């Protein structure tokens, strides 16, 4: 991920909503917040106008975004930061374990060996897919 510079969020202009309904974020008068005309969510401007944070969210962690000038990028939550090294470690260690198993298995049916190799490949793809889906927004 190349680091993308967060631009200052102006409170006197409209922005597209980070929701997937193509809503428009409009400034809410006299507050440091935006409201979406589609999803009805409220987004508070935080971090010296560099971040918007979803207000009253039912997610286990707060969802926040930076503005890059033409789109929102998700700000890594604490959950994501903790999850990332874990996922990477998982992605490195498990396939090795599986491959070692596959190579050193005692004489077993070829099918079993293939299943173990397929599992190893799946364990590589799964964290990669999770990373991809978390950065896709
Ligand atoms: Zn919206």
């Amino acid at each position: 991920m190349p680091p993308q510079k967060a631009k200052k969020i102006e409170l006197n202009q409209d922005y597209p909503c980070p929701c997937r309904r193509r809503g428009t974020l409009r400034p809410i008068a006299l507050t440091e917040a935006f409201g979406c005309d589609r999803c009805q969510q409220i987004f508070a401007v935080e971090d010296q106008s560099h971040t918007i944070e979803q207000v009253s969210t039912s997610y286990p962690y707060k969802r926040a975004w930076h503005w890059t000038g033409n789109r929102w990028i998700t700000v890594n939550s604490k959950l994501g930061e903790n999850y990332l090294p874990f996922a990477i470690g998982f992605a490195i260690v498990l396939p090795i374990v599986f491959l070692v198993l596959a190579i050193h298995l005692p004489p077993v049916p070829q099918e079993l060996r293939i299943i173990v190799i397929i599992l190893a490949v799946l364990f590589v793809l799964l964290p990669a897919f999770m990373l991809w889906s978390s950065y896709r927004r």
Side-chain angles (χ1 to χ4, degrees):
M1 282 298 288
Q4 277 177 294
K5 190 118 177 63
K7 292 222 165 60
K8 199 168 188 294
I9 298 156
E10 302 293 340
L11 281 162
N12 54 7
Q13 71 172 81
D14 293 348
Y15 290 92
C17 180
C19 72
R20 288 175 189 169
R21 300 186 204 171
R22 297 169 188 274
T24 304
L25 288 184
R26 298 190 197 286
I28 299 170
L30 306 176
T31 66
E32 295 212 330
F34 287 89
C36 174
D37 61 354
R38 289 278 175 89
C39 64
Q40 312 297 325
Q41 299 279 1
I42 306 288
F43 298 86
V45 177
E46 306 279 352
D47 188 26
Q48 279 128 33
S49 299
H50 283 93
T51 307
I52 58 164
E53 224 173 59
Q54 193 173 342
V55 177
S56 73
T57 166
S58 56
Y59 285 86
Y61 55 95
K62 277 189 174 169
R63 294 176 32 161
W65 293 266
H66 285 320
W67 180 247
T68 63
N70 49 32
R71 68 186 184 99
W72 296 105
I73 51 165
T74 310
V75 179
N76 280 339
S77 65
K78 276 196 175 125
L79 197 72
E81 282 164 18
N82 292 337
Y83 168 76
L84 197 63
F86 176 74
I88 291 170
F90 214 62
I92 293 169
V93 172
L94 269 175
I96 292 172
V97 170
F98 272 102
L99 283 176
V100 168
L101 269 178
I103 292 163
H104 291 286
L105 274 180
V108 289
Q110 196 63 27
E111 292 85 355
L112 188 63
R113 207 177 287 266
I114 289 166
I115 288 170
V116 171
I117 290 170
I118 289 171
L119 279 177
V121 171
L122 279 180
F123 273 113
V124 175
L125 291 181
L126 193 70
F129 173 76
M130 282 174 165
L131 283 180
W132 171 76
S133 66
S134 68
Y135 282 116
R136 193 163 49 110
R137 279 184 231 125

